[in-house]
Amino acid sequence: MSDGEANRPVEAEQTSGTEDAWLLVAVTTAGGPDSLRVYVWRKLRGLGAVYVQQSVCLLPDRPPVAEVVRKLVDRVRAEGGSARCLHLTLTDPAERGELIDEFRASVAAEYGEVLERLPAFFAEIETETSKGRTTFAEVEESEADLARFEAWAAKIQARDYFAAPIGAEVRAELEHAREALKSFEAAALAAETTPDSSAVRSRTVEEQGHRS
């Protein structure tokens, strides 16, 4: 796997059979370059790690996650830091449940940000439509905005290992946004391909004048 591939969000496997298996990751970047600290922070944050203390965090032990962590450990060691990854089994149902709740709460907060910002997308389409600005350029702008929302939600879903309920709400709102964009696009197409009625009348009068 290339470093670029390792930077992609890891697909969350929603399987209850892996709830007992965890990774304990301990990383210290002292002795390494400043860029190493940023790399570790971005990588572990991207995986959705839950910290139990400074420089020590937990992650579900799933093959895609373990592969990214393995590469992270190798890079930290190669660049002068220290890192270790231990495979753990949580047998206490209460402890496991609290940890899963913490993971869900973390992604729920992120999903909540998406839901807070999505209304602006719908408002923009409504405003442009009411002002008659249903143009190809406006469609492209809204399309780009929606793509950013979808990419953002996809990254969150990739670390939503335990299916936070709010995720379904976000996916439903994104589907609603896709439908709104389709309607906006249809309106723009109609506006740009339907001859302007006043222009048609002007041409008709002019043609009649030439014939008389």
Side-chain angles (χ1 to χ4, degrees), residues 4-208:
E5 290 173 325
N7 282 330
R8 297 175 187 167
V10 176
E11 292 185 6
E13 298 174 8
Q14 313 295 350
T15 53
S16 59
T18 59
E19 291 184 358
D20 292 340
W22 297 83
L23 301 173
L24 179 70
V25 185
V27 178
T28 301
T29 58
D34 290 341
S35 59
L36 181 62
R37 184 169 177 239
V38 175
Y39 168 81
V40 170
W41 171 73
R42 289 181 61 89
K43 192 64 62 177
L44 292 176
R45 184 65 185 83
L47 290 171
V50 166
Y51 281 82
V52 293
Q53 66 180 55
Q54 187 175 5
S55 303
V56 180
C57 61
L58 284 168
L59 283 162
D61 189 355
R62 317 228 174 139
V65 178
E67 177 65 12
V68 174
V69 171
R70 183 186 67 79
K71 287 188 172 294
L72 179 144
V73 168
D74 289 346
R75 177 165 171 175
V76 169
R77 291 173 176 173
E79 294 191 17
S82 61
R84 176 173 293 177
C85 178
L86 301 177
H87 296 260
L88 305 178
T89 299
L90 296 182
T91 57
D92 183 343
E95 185 69 33
R96 185 174 62 242
E98 289 179 6
L99 185 57
I100 289 174
D101 285 345
E102 192 168 348
F103 270 90
R104 285 180 176 148
S106 178
V107 295
E110 295 184 77
Y111 278 136
E113 289 187 41
V114 178
L115 290 177
E116 286 178 6
R117 298 189 189 186
L118 265 173
F121 173 83
F122 295 109
E124 180 68 16
I125 286 182
E126 184 177 341
T127 297
E128 298 304 327
T129 301
S130 65
K131 292 182 178 180
R133 292 203 291 258
T134 50
T135 65
F136 178 72
E138 294 296 340
V139 168
E140 281 196 319
E141 184 177 339
S142 294
E143 191 174 47
D145 289 341
L146 179 56
R148 284 190 287 271
F149 276 114
E150 290 179 323
W152 183 13
K155 288 180 180 179
I156 299 170
Q157 186 174 354
R159 50 183 171 262
D160 184 11
Y161 304 109
F162 304 102
I166 194 175
E169 185 179 351
V170 171
R171 288 187 287 276
E173 280 300 291
L174 286 175
E175 181 58 32
H176 182 198
R178 284 188 282 270
E179 291 301 320
L181 180 59
K182 284 181 183 178
S183 297
F184 189 50
E185 185 177 40
L189 175 63
E192 293 198 1
T193 58
T194 301
D196 183 77
S197 57
S198 61
V200 171
R201 286 196 298 271
S202 296
R203 286 198 298 271
T204 301
V205 170
E206 184 179 350
E207 289 169 359
Q208 288 175 344

